Amino acid sequence: MGTPTEPGIVATGMAFGERHDVPATAADYVPDPETVTALGYDAYHRAAPGVTATDLAARAAREALENADVTVADLDLIVVGNSDVPDYLGWDPSAAVARSLGAHGTPTVLFTQACAAWSPALDHAAGAMALSPGVDTVLVVLVNVVSEAHSNRMDFNGCVASDGAVAAVVRRGHPRLRRLSSAQFTNPEYADLFRIEYGGAAVPLPPPGRGLRDVSPMASVYRHFGRDPERFQAFMKEITGRLADVVDEALARAGRDRSELTRLIHLNDNQQTFRAVADAVGLPLARTNAELARSLGHMGAADQLVCLWRHIEAGELALGDLVALTGVASPGMHWFCTIVEV
């Protein structure tokens, strides 16, 4: 049963980059496009030149406010999750989004845990409501715009990265799309996996003759495991095994179990990973967001809420259904699960 502080999602808004076909453009990103098309993606979205993450985030936020019949003045808190390189250094995207919305004086918070930022962002909204009686309405905005100067959207982590944003108006005690619980696990042994070597404070510039993207994150992963196939396979099994663990932990915290799950919504990963995730959690592949992932691409921290709303719009989720939102953030490395009751 819900408590008075338990938040529910009133409405969402979305903003995507321009849609592009994966098979038609893979050769623009990699020398062997077959390796990309084998991942199972049909399309991805790419922000037009000059369109920033802040632009997409603000566009999604305005749509969410309109859909919820809420004004900026009604907001008690704005929480932003930005899963890629920010527009600028020494700069707070959450404040920039608030400025775009005209939310002067409204507190803002920023989460940057890569593609897992959605989960702590929702947790923070719930925690603010639990701790502060005056916090009743929170805007949660999640955005991903790939910095192609820093990484290759088709050759980074086994996904085809995509540009998009989703915003959700979350209200205390709202009876629909209630956030029931969450769980997470971090294995710090993998803190350096997938890191971008150049452009940060440790190594601001690449060596002469090299570019920001001249180090392959996947090559770094293989080196971490000593190019040992057995160690790498054990790592892949750990990814799905730990995911099943956080699902069970989050369900237990909500007083539920796997038998009650209607659907699992994972990050928009490749199709092979989706099959492994479905097997690990014990759900048919058809009860995941695998098909949506094909046409959307991996929108970083926006994946889970985008797909949740798409499944609702398609009539694939009904009142009372239990959904596990899951993700793995390769920088870290972190596993997350949030349980939502439709």
Side-chain angles (χ1 to χ4, degrees):
M1 298 296 292
T3 65
T5 59
E6 201 167 74
I9 297 174
V10 179
T12 65
M14 301 179 199
F16 301 155
E18 298 172 349
R19 189 180 189 277
H20 293 269
D21 184 78
V22 170
T25 59
D28 297 336
Y29 289 92
V30 295
D32 48 348
E34 298 81 8
T35 61
V36 172
T37 55
L39 298 174
Y41 293 96
D42 299 322
Y44 64 99
H45 296 260
R46 184 182 185 189
V51 175
T52 67
T54 303
D55 295 332
L56 285 185
R59 195 186 309 167
R62 291 188 190 98
E63 182 176 290
L65 293 173
E66 181 179 350
N67 290 341
D69 195 22
V70 166
T71 69
V72 170
D74 297 321
L75 298 176
D76 302 306
L77 175 66
I78 297 172
V79 183
V80 175
N82 185 5
S83 47
D84 207 273
V85 178
D87 298 346
Y88 301 97
L89 300 178
W91 183 75
D92 186 345
S94 70
V97 170
R99 181 179 59 192
S100 295
L101 299 176
H104 299 288
T106 306
T108 72
V109 179
L110 175 66
F111 287 91
T112 59
Q113 266 181 305
C115 57
W118 60 274
S119 186
L122 289 173
D123 283 356
H124 187 80
M129 291 179 189
L131 294 173
S132 303
V135 176
D136 293 311
T137 305
V138 179
L139 178 67
V140 176
V141 189
L142 306 163
V143 62
N144 187 76
V145 172
V146 177
S147 171
E148 296 197 18
H150 290 84
S151 61
N152 183 330
R153 70 172 67 240
M154 293 194 186
D155 185 23
F156 187 77
N157 61 359
C159 299
V160 171
S162 195
D163 301 342
V166 62
V169 174
V170 181
R171 183 174 291 151
R172 178 198 300 271
H174 186 69
R176 294 295 307 275
L177 292 171
R178 295 185 304 142
R179 175 206 168 277
L180 301 184
S181 63
S182 68
Q184 72 175 87
F185 182 90
T186 299
N187 186 343
E189 177 189 346
Y190 304 134
D192 292 333
L193 296 191
F194 299 100
R195 79 181 187 190
I196 298 171
E197 291 296 319
Y198 310 130
V203 189
L205 298 173
R210 305 197 73 176
L212 291 174
R213 303 197 313 176
D214 282 353
V215 175
S216 166
M218 287 305 295
S220 299
V221 172
Y222 297 137
R223 283 198 299 273
H224 178 88
F225 295 104
R227 303 186 185 278
D228 184 334
E230 290 187 4
R231 288 181 63 197
F232 183 73
Q233 286 302 315
F235 167 67
M236 297 304 292
K237 288 181 180 178
E238 180 180 358
I239 290 177
T240 53
R242 295 223 185 265
L243 189 71
D245 291 343
V246 293
V247 169
D248 287 338
E249 184 177 350
L251 284 167
R253 290 178 178 179
R256 307 293 185 89
D257 61 48
R258 286 196 213 177
S259 68
E260 300 176 77
L261 274 183
T262 303
R263 186 172 291 272
L264 182 140
I265 297 179
H266 191 52
L267 67 91
N268 290 343
D269 215 320
N270 63 69
Q271 294 299 301
Q272 180 179 349
T273 298
F274 262 110
R275 288 189 288 270
V277 166
D279 288 345
V281 180
L283 284 178
L285 186 64
R287 285 167 58 187
T288 72
N289 56 311
E291 283 304 309
L292 285 176
R294 289 183 185 273
S295 61
L296 291 170
H298 176 32
M299 294 183 174
D303 285 347
Q304 288 78 1
L305 290 189
V306 167
C307 290
L308 175 63
W309 208 258
R310 286 286 176 87
H311 283 303
I312 291 171
E313 289 178 327
E316 296 167 344
L317 287 170
L319 182 66
D321 283 349
L322 203 65
V323 182
L325 308 179
T326 63
V328 181
S330 46
M333 181 169 197
H334 311 282
W335 288 257
F336 288 90
C337 178
T338 296
I339 302 298
V340 172
E341 183 179 71
V342 179

